[in-house]
Amino acid sequence: MTTKTLFDPVALSGLQLPNRVVMAPMTRVRADAGGLANSLMATYYGQRASAGLIISEGVHPSAVGQSNPGTPGLHTDEQTASWHQVTEQVHDAGGRIFAQIMHAGRISHEQTTGHQPVAPSAIRYDAAVFTPSGPQPASMPRELPTSEVPQHAESYAAAARRALDAGFDGVELHGANGYLINQFLSSNVNQRTDAYGGSVTGRIRFAVEAAAATVDAVGATRVGIRLSPGAGIQGIEEHDVAELYTALLVELASLDLAYLHLETGAADEVLDGFRRTWPGTLIMNPSNPNSPQRTERAAADEWLGRGADLVSFGRAFIANPDLVSRLRHGAPLAADDPKTHYVGGENGYTSYPPHPRAA
């Protein structure tokens, strides 16, 4: 039996990846006004193009779907055009990049978007969110009427079309961490009594419809999805994690998606069960999403041994643009500065140098 390593080349839906290292999506709020990507973002992603696959920061598919100020979008012609500099720089450096499509749902504020947030039910997120005037209590969301839900599922597909027009190699639907898809999956935020709530079948319906619409728009080989079973992020509760996500994975498997991207919020035995349920490519992110700890090499190797096909690294990529080489050569990993994560500018973004031993 051949042992998988992080540095094996691997095929992913027609793409040839030079290694199994994935750069996980991370919000960095460096976009220009109007949700436009810019040259600084192009440099940032281009510096990290040695990853087998880059998954971009969350990109909002509609104005009402935006979470924080400074995040980029993919719902206007100007936004679409602005991403070409990013995808071209990544491709020129030999990389591959998917756009993560992220509808914030209730994790938003009217000051940021000019719209009342939407959600499965009118249940406010009981915490502060970022706004143009600083942290503010999240706005009360508007419950989506049944007739309006499909247009928000379709917004993922519309953004995916734009992503491919902008040169992305594919898209990842953000179904994790308390955003709109995760809100529909939840036990507490989704209090609906129509076809999009109540039973497990109802609560997974929005996720399946969003994925199916996106597959219809751009093809299954260009669509992945990220999920965070049992993570409990941003006020989400899920009381039936194994049943809920097994049912969801069965439905998603019929769409033949490019990959499933899982976070490790659930118990190991539950996650191992999801690996057995999911017949396709699995990306694992070994860091607990509630922890500030970055993924280390040992955890990545463990998950490759447990059946993952690729391993995503988030925080480790912030201060280590040459992360693949550092891991390959055993060079030390630099520490990032949390104070620079969301402040804008080059410092703490494109300013981290490569390591001499990893060259």
PDB file of all heavy atoms in Angstrom, residues 86 109 150 169 227 235 251 262 265 304 324 332 334 350 354:
ATOM      1  N   VAL A  86      -5.884  39.046 -10.386  1.00  0.00           N
ATOM      2  CA  VAL A  86      -5.565  38.040  -9.372  1.00  0.00           C
ATOM      3  C   VAL A  86      -5.359  36.677 -10.021  1.00  0.00           C
ATOM      4  O   VAL A  86      -4.332  36.013  -9.797  1.00  0.00           O
ATOM      5  CB  VAL A  86      -6.683  37.961  -8.312  1.00  0.00           C
ATOM      6  CG1 VAL A  86      -6.384  36.854  -7.305  1.00  0.00           C
ATOM      7  CG2 VAL A  86      -6.843  39.302  -7.605  1.00  0.00           C
ATOM      8  N   HIS A 109     -24.663  43.630   8.487  1.00  0.00           N
ATOM      9  CA  HIS A 109     -25.228  44.844   9.067  1.00  0.00           C
ATOM     10  C   HIS A 109     -25.666  45.777   7.949  1.00  0.00           C
ATOM     11  O   HIS A 109     -25.018  45.865   6.895  1.00  0.00           O
ATOM     12  CB  HIS A 109     -24.193  45.550   9.941  1.00  0.00           C
ATOM     13  CG  HIS A 109     -24.787  46.540  10.896  1.00  0.00           C
ATOM     14  ND1 HIS A 109     -25.154  47.817  10.518  1.00  0.00           N
ATOM     15  CD2 HIS A 109     -25.085  46.436  12.221  1.00  0.00           C
ATOM     16  CE1 HIS A 109     -25.647  48.457  11.565  1.00  0.00           C
ATOM     17  NE2 HIS A 109     -25.620  47.643  12.610  1.00  0.00           N
ATOM     18  N   PRO A 150     -35.280  30.417  -3.454  1.00  0.00           N
ATOM     19  CA  PRO A 150     -34.537  29.943  -4.635  1.00  0.00           C
ATOM     20  C   PRO A 150     -33.633  30.988  -5.278  1.00  0.00           C
ATOM     21  O   PRO A 150     -32.578  30.637  -5.815  1.00  0.00           O
ATOM     22  CB  PRO A 150     -35.658  29.507  -5.592  1.00  0.00           C
ATOM     23  CG  PRO A 150     -36.784  29.116  -4.696  1.00  0.00           C
ATOM     24  CD  PRO A 150     -36.725  30.120  -3.576  1.00  0.00           C
ATOM     25  N   ASP A 169     -10.389  28.850 -11.618  1.00  0.00           N
ATOM     26  CA  ASP A 169     -10.454  27.456 -12.074  1.00  0.00           C
ATOM     27  C   ASP A 169     -11.698  26.742 -11.574  1.00  0.00           C
ATOM     28  O   ASP A 169     -12.020  25.647 -12.053  1.00  0.00           O
ATOM     29  CB  ASP A 169      -9.202  26.705 -11.602  1.00  0.00           C
ATOM     30  CG  ASP A 169      -7.929  27.291 -12.189  1.00  0.00           C
ATOM     31  OD1 ASP A 169      -7.766  27.209 -13.417  1.00  0.00           O
ATOM     32  OD2 ASP A 169      -7.116  27.846 -11.431  1.00  0.00           O
ATOM     33  N   LEU A 227     -17.821  22.624   4.568  1.00  0.00           N
ATOM     34  CA  LEU A 227     -18.775  22.424   5.653  1.00  0.00           C
ATOM     35  C   LEU A 227     -18.031  22.354   6.983  1.00  0.00           C
ATOM     36  O   LEU A 227     -16.859  21.947   7.023  1.00  0.00           O
ATOM     37  CB  LEU A 227     -19.563  21.127   5.438  1.00  0.00           C
ATOM     38  CG  LEU A 227     -20.359  21.010   4.126  1.00  0.00           C
ATOM     39  CD1 LEU A 227     -20.897  19.597   3.954  1.00  0.00           C
ATOM     40  CD2 LEU A 227     -21.493  22.031   4.083  1.00  0.00           C
ATOM     41  N   GLY A 235     -22.892  31.380  16.573  1.00  0.00           N
ATOM     42  CA  GLY A 235     -24.221  31.144  17.119  1.00  0.00           C
ATOM     43  C   GLY A 235     -24.982  29.974  16.554  1.00  0.00           C
ATOM     44  O   GLY A 235     -26.170  29.808  16.847  1.00  0.00           O
ATOM     45  N   GLU A 251     -26.864  13.413  -0.655  1.00  0.00           N
ATOM     46  CA  GLU A 251     -27.457  14.225  -1.714  1.00  0.00           C
ATOM     47  C   GLU A 251     -26.384  14.913  -2.560  1.00  0.00           C
ATOM     48  O   GLU A 251     -26.473  14.945  -3.791  1.00  0.00           O
ATOM     49  CB  GLU A 251     -28.401  15.270  -1.114  1.00  0.00           C
ATOM     50  CG  GLU A 251     -29.648  14.695  -0.486  1.00  0.00           C
ATOM     51  CD  GLU A 251     -30.544  14.020  -1.506  1.00  0.00           C
ATOM     52  OE1 GLU A 251     -30.681  14.555  -2.634  1.00  0.00           O
ATOM     53  OE2 GLU A 251     -31.092  12.944  -1.187  1.00  0.00           O
ATOM     54  N   LEU A 262     -13.891  19.743   4.544  1.00  0.00           N
ATOM     55  CA  LEU A 262     -14.427  19.635   5.896  1.00  0.00           C
ATOM     56  C   LEU A 262     -13.524  20.293   6.925  1.00  0.00           C
ATOM     57  O   LEU A 262     -12.295  20.165   6.868  1.00  0.00           O
ATOM     58  CB  LEU A 262     -14.589  18.162   6.300  1.00  0.00           C
ATOM     59  CG  LEU A 262     -15.775  17.377   5.749  1.00  0.00           C
ATOM     60  CD1 LEU A 262     -15.763  15.964   6.347  1.00  0.00           C
ATOM     61  CD2 LEU A 262     -17.100  18.058   6.042  1.00  0.00           C
ATOM     62  N   GLY A 265     -14.719  20.197  13.422  1.00  0.00           N
ATOM     63  CA  GLY A 265     -15.441  20.571  14.622  1.00  0.00           C
ATOM     64  C   GLY A 265     -16.144  19.419  15.300  1.00  0.00           C
ATOM     65  O   GLY A 265     -16.467  19.487  16.487  1.00  0.00           O
ATOM     66  N   LEU A 304      -4.061  12.609   6.141  1.00  0.00           N
ATOM     67  CA  LEU A 304      -3.810  11.865   4.910  1.00  0.00           C
ATOM     68  C   LEU A 304      -3.889  10.366   5.180  1.00  0.00           C
ATOM     69  O   LEU A 304      -4.431   9.612   4.373  1.00  0.00           O
ATOM     70  CB  LEU A 304      -2.439  12.232   4.335  1.00  0.00           C
ATOM     71  CG  LEU A 304      -2.301  13.628   3.729  1.00  0.00           C
ATOM     72  CD1 LEU A 304      -0.879  13.869   3.279  1.00  0.00           C
ATOM     73  CD2 LEU A 304      -3.276  13.819   2.561  1.00  0.00           C
ATOM     74  N   VAL A 324       4.666  25.518   1.220  1.00  0.00           N
ATOM     75  CA  VAL A 324       4.934  24.185   0.675  1.00  0.00           C
ATOM     76  C   VAL A 324       6.418  23.864   0.774  1.00  0.00           C
ATOM     77  O   VAL A 324       6.810  22.771   1.212  1.00  0.00           O
ATOM     78  CB  VAL A 324       4.447  24.087  -0.781  1.00  0.00           C
ATOM     79  CG1 VAL A 324       4.827  22.728  -1.379  1.00  0.00           C
ATOM     80  CG2 VAL A 324       2.930  24.290  -0.860  1.00  0.00           C
ATOM     81  N   PRO A 332      11.613  26.169   9.574  1.00  0.00           N
ATOM     82  CA  PRO A 332      10.666  26.656  10.593  1.00  0.00           C
ATOM     83  C   PRO A 332       9.592  27.538   9.978  1.00  0.00           C
ATOM     84  O   PRO A 332       9.826  28.234   8.986  1.00  0.00           O
ATOM     85  CB  PRO A 332      11.555  27.439  11.562  1.00  0.00           C
ATOM     86  CG  PRO A 332      12.755  27.819  10.754  1.00  0.00           C
ATOM     87  CD  PRO A 332      12.978  26.705   9.782  1.00  0.00           C
ATOM     88  N   ALA A 334       7.214  30.767  10.141  1.00  0.00           N
ATOM     89  CA  ALA A 334       7.141  32.087  10.757  1.00  0.00           C
ATOM     90  C   ALA A 334       5.789  32.277  11.432  1.00  0.00           C
ATOM     91  O   ALA A 334       4.792  31.654  11.056  1.00  0.00           O
ATOM     92  CB  ALA A 334       7.360  33.161   9.704  1.00  0.00           C
ATOM     93  N   THR A 350       1.385  41.164   2.376  1.00  0.00           N
ATOM     94  CA  THR A 350       2.369  40.773   1.359  1.00  0.00           C
ATOM     95  C   THR A 350       3.802  40.962   1.844  1.00  0.00           C
ATOM     96  O   THR A 350       4.749  40.787   1.078  1.00  0.00           O
ATOM     97  CB  THR A 350       2.167  41.607   0.081  1.00  0.00           C
ATOM     98  OG1 THR A 350       2.280  42.993   0.404  1.00  0.00           O
ATOM     99  CG2 THR A 350       0.809  41.326  -0.525  1.00  0.00           C
ATOM    100  N   PRO A 354      10.060  34.863   2.082  1.00  0.00           N
ATOM    101  CA  PRO A 354      10.332  33.423   2.077  1.00  0.00           C
ATOM    102  C   PRO A 354      11.510  33.095   2.973  1.00  0.00           C
ATOM    103  O   PRO A 354      12.284  33.980   3.367  1.00  0.00           O
ATOM    104  CB  PRO A 354      10.650  33.115   0.614  1.00  0.00           C
ATOM    105  CG  PRO A 354      11.165  34.410   0.072  1.00  0.00           C
ATOM    106  CD  PRO A 354      10.415  35.499   0.797  1.00  0.00           C
TER     107      PRO A 354
END
